[in-house]
Amino acid sequence: HGYEYWTGAEPPWRNGVDKTPVVDPAVIASEEQHKAEAEADDQLTAGTLAHAEVLRGCGVRVDFLLALTFALNMWEWMTWEVVQYLVKPVTEGEGRCRFAHLPYIRPYTGAATIFMSHCWGARWGDLVAAACAGSDMRRVVWIDVF
């Protein structure tokens, strides 16, 4: 998998790696179904404090970021590659849940106190290094990939 939905584009479904339009009707139908399910999951709480707290709870600890990055040697990966080659494949088998909601990731998550901004084409290792700078390793940061 690895598809993206580009709001306002025609056609809106794109391949995640090369950004070419998706033309296979079966893939489009499947992606539309997944999109509808995700939107329905968020519909009841979207725009509320409860929803904001769910998202804030998707923060990850800095020690986890370091361990993950070392374990998978992702220092030179681009941030988009982390999503394409780690987050999407791992969550695909779990109903496309948020990465932070995976049972084996949950112990390393919590309410974020720091928001991390990044460029999709920048090195993941630089983002991890920035998260670590001057930090207690238990710091919890929010990165939109999780």
Side-chain angles (χ1 to χ4, degrees), residues 25-63:
V27 170
I28 293 169
S30 175
E31 292 305 311
E32 288 287 345
Q33 180 64 36
H34 286 297
K35 181 177 178 289
E37 290 168 2
E39 289 170 347
D41 285 347
D42 287 344
Q43 185 176 15
L44 293 176
T45 60
T48 68
L49 182 57
H51 189 69
E53 287 302 316
V54 167
L55 296 178
R56 182 174 176 239
C58 292
V60 294
R61 288 191 347 224
V62 170
D63 59 351

Side-chain angles (χ1 to χ4, degrees), residues 3 9 11 16 19 23-24 58 73 86 100 102 104 129 138-139 143:
Y3 303 106
K19 313 305 183 208
V23 295
D24 182 336
C58 292
N73 194 23
L86 173 65
L102 292 167
Y104 46 89
R138 293 168 298 172
R139 172 188 280 173
I143 303 173

Side-chain angles (χ1 to χ4, degrees), residues 39-94:
E39 289 170 347
D41 285 347
D42 287 344
Q43 185 176 15
L44 293 176
T45 60
T48 68
L49 182 57
H51 189 69
E53 287 302 316
V54 167
L55 296 178
R56 182 174 176 239
C58 292
V60 294
R61 288 191 347 224
V62 170
D63 59 351
F64 168 77
L65 283 177
L66 276 173
L68 180 69
T69 304
F70 273 116
L72 299 178
N73 194 23
M74 298 188 305
W75 294 101
E76 298 299 321
W77 289 25
M78 300 298 108
T79 303
W80 71 266
E81 292 175 313
V82 174
V83 174
Q84 187 68 34
Y85 301 121
L86 173 65
V87 174
K88 285 184 177 183
V90 169
T91 59
E92 178 73 25
E94 301 287 338

